[in-house]
Amino acid sequence: MDKFRLIFQFLQSNQESFLNGMCGILALASAQIYSAFEFNCPCLAGYNLLYGLGVMSVPPVVLFLLGFVMNNNVSVLAEEWERPQGLRGKDPGVLRYMFCSMAQRALIAPVTWISVTLLDGKCFICAFSEGLDPRFLGSNISATPSQLRKILATLPCPDIFQQEAAMSREAATRYLRCVSQALGWSFILMMTFLAFLVRALRPCFTQVAFLKTKYWSHYIDIERKLFEETCTEHAKSFAKVCIQQFFEGMQDEIVIGYSQCQPPLLPDTETEKEQDKLLGITDSKNMNKLLRNWHKCKPPLNVNSGVKENVPNGTSSNKSTQTHRENIAFYSKV
C-alpha cells in the first residue's frame, strides 16, 4: 500500500510530465488500434464516402474526448467556470489558458490517428474512389454516370472489381494512395508548424499576459489540492475525536469482563493535537456551512485581508503582537 501511495504522490508532484506521458501513450495506442483494426470498405455506391470519412473522423473525436477525460484539470476548469462570483473575480484569460493547455494535449492522439489513416491510404481510397475521373488515368469507359459510379465504387475491393472494365485498378488505387499520402505529410507538416507557433511565438508577443495566466492557473490547481488535503486532515481528526467521545460515553456500560478488549484511549497530548487540527469546526452544521461558503464565496486573493492587529491602549504599534507569516513557494514545470 505504501508503494502505491508513493507512486501516487510522485504522479501528483510531476503532473505536467505525467500528463504529457499519458498523451504520448494514448497517441501510440491510437496507432496500434488502427493497425489492429480490420478495415473493410463496403464497395457500394453512396456508402464508400460515408464509411471512409467516418473511420477518419469518428475515432479522432473519441480520442479527443478521452484526452480531456484523462486530464484532471477538467474538473478544476469546470468548477472555476461554474462557481459564483463571490468575493473573488473570475479571469477569462486564465480559463482560456487552462482550456488551451488541455486541448493541446488532447489533440495529440487525434492528430496521430488522422496522420496514420492518410499515410496508409485505405480510408482515402474507399471514400473518394467514386469521385475519380477515369479519363485522368487515360481510360475511357462507355457507361452511364450511375453505372460508372458502381464500377468505381468497387475499386477498393479486388475480388468484386469488374476486370472487363477498360480501366486499370492498380493505377487508380496507386493514384489515390499517392494523393492520400501527400495530404498526410502536408497535414503533419501543418500541425507541426502550428505547434511550433503556439509553443514558441505566443509567449514572445504576450509575455506579461502569458505569465499572469500561467501563474493563476497553477494557483487554482494548487489551491484545490491544498483544500482537499486540509479537508482530509480535518475529517480524519473529526472522526478520531467523535469515536473517542463515543467510547468514553459508553465506558460505564461496557462489561468489566471485556475490559481488556476496549480500544486504548488517546493520550492527552494526542487528543490536543487532534483538537488543533479541527481548526475550531467541531460539528457537521458548521462544516457544511464552511463548504457552502467556499463554493459560493471564495476568499479574496489577499493574504493581509482579515489580519487585525490588536494594539492595547497606551502602547505603540511597534510593540504590537507580531504575526507569524509562512511563505510558501510553489514551483511548476512548464
Side-chain angles (χ1 to χ4, degrees), residues 18-35:
F18 173 70
L19 291 177
N20 293 333
M22 289 300 297
C23 292
I25 293 175
L26 191 61
L28 294 177
S30 64
Q32 292 296 326
I33 291 173
Y34 178 78
S35 61

Side-chain angles (χ1 to χ4, degrees), residues 23 64 99-108 198-199 202:
C23 292
F64 181 73
F99 177 79
C100 292
S101 299
M102 290 185 292
Q104 289 174 12
R105 294 187 179 94
L107 281 173
I108 297 177
V198 171
R199 298 290 293 180
R202 186 182 63 175

Side-chain angles (χ1 to χ4, degrees), residues 32-225:
Q32 292 296 326
I33 291 173
Y34 178 78
S35 61
F37 172 71
E38 186 178 358
F39 181 82
N40 292 317
C41 185
C43 295
L44 294 174
Y47 293 92
N48 287 9
L49 181 62
L50 295 176
Y51 184 76
L53 293 181
V55 173
M56 285 193 293
S57 59
V58 174
V61 175
V62 176
L63 293 172
F64 181 73
L65 296 179
L66 284 178
F68 273 96
V69 171
M70 296 175 61
N71 198 319
N72 296 328
N73 292 330
V74 174
S75 59
V76 181
L77 178 62
E79 180 182 354
E80 185 67 16
W81 175 265
E82 292 293 336
R83 72 172 177 85
Q85 188 77 11
L87 298 178
R88 184 188 302 181
K90 292 188 288 186
D91 190 354
V94 177
L95 299 177
R96 286 194 300 267
Y97 174 82
M98 296 175 66
F99 177 79
C100 292
S101 299
M102 290 185 292
Q104 289 174 12
R105 294 187 179 94
L107 281 173
I108 297 177
V111 168
T112 303
W113 178 275
I114 296 175
S115 302
V116 171
T117 54
L118 289 177
L119 293 178
D120 184 65
K122 294 179 182 178
C123 297
F124 189 87
I125 294 174
C126 179
F128 298 98
S129 59
E130 300 178 32
L132 182 64
D133 189 1
R135 292 175 296 180
F136 183 78
L137 300 175
S139 301
N140 189 8
I141 302 177
S142 58
T144 61
S146 60
Q147 293 177 348
L148 181 61
R149 287 189 60 187
K150 292 180 180 180
I151 294 174
L152 293 176
T154 59
L155 280 175
C157 305
D159 51 345
I160 62 176
F161 179 72
Q162 299 179 8
Q163 299 293 337
E164 62 272 9
M167 181 178 179
S168 174
R169 178 186 173 276
E170 182 67 24
T173 55
R174 183 174 299 180
Y175 169 75
L176 291 176
R177 185 175 291 107
C178 290
V179 175
S180 177
Q181 292 178 353
L183 292 176
W185 286 113
S186 300
F187 178 76
I188 294 174
L189 179 62
M190 181 184 65
M191 296 304 298
T192 305
F193 184 72
L194 183 62
F196 168 76
L197 292 179
V198 171
R199 298 290 293 180
L201 299 183
R202 186 182 63 175
C204 298
F205 291 98
T206 57
Q207 182 67 24
V208 178
F210 177 75
L211 292 176
K212 183 187 71 172
T213 54
K214 183 172 67 172
Y215 174 83
W216 289 117
S217 65
H218 288 315
Y219 173 84
I220 293 172
D221 186 26
I222 292 173
E223 183 187 55
R224 179 184 63 90
K225 292 178 181 178

Side-chain angles (χ1 to χ4, degrees), residues 270-297:
E270 189 172 353
T271 304
E272 294 176 357
K273 184 178 179 181
E274 296 297 334
Q275 290 281 359
D276 294 338
K277 291 182 180 180
L278 294 179
L279 302 177
I281 307 170
T282 55
D283 55 45
S284 60
K285 183 178 180 180
N286 289 333
M287 190 64 198
N288 292 333
K289 181 179 179 181
L290 182 142
L291 295 174
R292 184 170 58 252
N293 292 338
W294 176 261
H295 172 70
K296 292 184 176 180
C297 188

